[in-house]
Amino acid sequence: MKIYLNGELVDKENAKISVFDHGLLYGDGVFEGIRLYDGCVYKLDEHLERLEFSAKAILLDLPLDRKGFAEAVCETCRQNNLKNGYVRLVVTRGAGHLGLTPDGCGPPSVIIIADEIQLYPEELYKNGLKIISVATRRINASALPPAVKSLNYLNNILAKIEAKRVGFQEALMLNDKGEIAECTGDNVFILSKGVIFTPPLDAGSLRGITRAAVMDLAMELGFEVKEQALTRYDLWTAEECFLTGTAAEVIPCVEVDHRVIGSGKPGEATQALIGKFREKVKKDGVFL
Ligand code: PXG
């Protein structure tokens, strides 16, 4: 496997960065997770825009422009003969001193890993996922905007550990007001009285690329789609619930906090969206 590291494609064994890199010492950096379907990088431009926004928010000057990143991502996939998989694009603050200040750090490290993807088992798409809300709240936007896809994922990791310890694969995270924010690596949707709802971004959700794609698909299917603050009660009493994310795509959720959602089986709207999403992904990106 070849890894892109600061402009070069190097063997996995030689893909090493400094222990003084602030990406390692402080989680100081940004990243993207991108899918490759049939030799086509899904929504590459959208991912690169989000990377630019994340970098801007943390005052990190990216070492490449959008075209440079696009070429680097495609070249890494080509060199690895990858046609389907997952691309992890990481930009760290770079090596510096043992202090918080990014002054003196750099240049930023750019890492691109293109690999196969660990998917949720197909069984979960047929029968649905069970999730549980956890005590770990989604970090407050005035502390660190959840819209920034930073390398510091401890908030989400702690929520994931909490859920796993009690036997669930995914955690539902609330914000300081007790509203639904998102899951640890996926956005949340419900269907209620024929309308599809998802929390607004200021509830503490990432501006998911899959979230946006699914909102469009839902409208194409004739659904009204609303971004609205949601409570746990709204999820418990929904007719359908599903999660969206680059890795999970669209995955049905049939139980929330031990409450069965709808019939306890993936609902019709969810199934229609899964079908439409899978049809569309192959046409919606940049060919290698
Ligand atoms: N919320 C968070 C916090 C995310 O990290 C999503 C939502 C979904 O966004 P996209 O753009 O992918 O539709 C993400 C992104 C994992 C994992 O291992 C998931 C993400 C990032 C890193 C790891 O599940 N998801």
Side-chain angles (χ1 to χ4, degrees):
M1 185 196 286
K2 295 277 188 197
I3 310 288
Y4 177 99
L5 181 60
N6 300 326
E8 282 177 73
L9 282 147
V10 298
D11 288 332
K12 187 179 169 183
E13 298 69 37
N14 299 324
K16 293 177 180 159
I17 63 160
S18 167
V19 294
F20 290 95
D21 194 308
H22 281 209
L24 171 70
L25 291 176
Y26 300 117
D28 187 352
V30 294
F31 79 101
E32 283 295 318
I34 309 168
R35 284 291 283 276
L36 179 66
Y37 294 102
D38 284 353
C40 180
V41 189
Y42 182 66
K43 303 253 182 197
L44 179 57
D45 207 48
E46 285 84 344
H47 281 286
L48 294 178
E49 182 190 64
R50 191 170 66 186
L51 184 82
E52 287 166 8
F53 288 176
S54 295
K56 184 163 191 188
I58 69 159
L59 295 135
L60 172 64
D61 286 329
L62 291 175
L64 295 174
D65 61 11
R66 201 172 299 182
K67 207 164 153 252
F69 275 115
E71 188 42 41
V73 166
C74 292
E75 189 55 22
T76 309
C77 295
R78 286 194 289 261
Q79 289 283 328
N80 286 289
N81 269 326
L82 202 69
K83 292 271 181 286
N84 288 283
Y86 183 81
V87 178
R88 177 62 59 91
L89 168 55
V90 179
V91 185
T92 75
R93 189 78 69 176
H97 301 291
L98 293 180
L100 288 173
T101 176
D103 298 346
C105 279
S109 305
V110 179
I111 303 160
I112 303 173
I113 308 167
D115 201 358
E116 290 178 352
I117 178 163
Q118 280 300 112
L119 295 170
Y120 273 130
E122 187 58 28
E123 179 269 323
L124 284 180
Y125 293 86
K126 289 212 178 72
N127 298 321
L129 188 66
K130 298 174 181 178
I131 63 173
I132 191 148
S133 50
V134 293
T136 303
R137 292 283 160 112
R138 190 75 180 97
I139 198 163
N140 191 300
S142 55
L144 175 66
V148 175
K149 206 162 162 62
S150 88
L151 288 180
N152 196 319
Y153 254 55
L154 264 179
N155 180 217
N156 310 53
I157 291 166
L158 290 181
K160 188 90 168 179
I161 291 171
E162 246 189 283
K164 288 235 164 173
R165 288 276 167 112
V166 290
F168 291 82
Q169 300 211 51
E170 186 52 293
L172 180 63
M173 298 183 80
L174 312 179
N175 64 21
D176 281 348
K177 290 193 263 178
E179 298 159 349
I180 308 299
E182 59 182 347
C183 287
T184 65
D186 293 305
N187 291 110
V188 181
F189 286 79
I190 57 170
L191 174 81
S192 183
K193 296 198 195 313
V195 178
I196 289 185
F197 293 93
T198 191
L201 299 179
D202 64 11
S205 351
L206 186 76
R207 186 171 54 89
I209 309 290
T210 322
R211 174 185 184 272
V214 166
M215 287 167 83
D216 287 345
L217 290 181
M219 286 187 270
E220 278 176 35
L221 285 172
F223 288 102
E224 190 183 346
V225 179
K226 285 189 181 166
E227 295 182 71
Q228 189 178 295
L230 299 173
T231 62
R232 294 204 299 161
Y233 172 87
D234 295 322
L235 265 63
W236 299 340
T237 57
E239 287 134 40
E240 297 187 27
C241 177
F242 59 88
L243 313 181
T244 65
T246 292
E249 301 178 337
V250 181
I251 189 155
C253 181
V254 292
E255 202 187 286
V256 179
D257 299 337
H258 311 288
R259 278 80 165 177
V260 171
I261 306 303
S263 65
K265 288 265 160 212
E268 268 176 40
T270 307
Q271 283 176 335
L273 283 166
I274 293 173
K276 228 174 168 345
F277 185 82
R278 287 181 172 174
E279 250 172 56
K280 262 235 132 152
V281 285
K282 290 170 185 156
K283 299 168 211 143
D284 229 348
V286 171
F287 285 99
L288 293 178

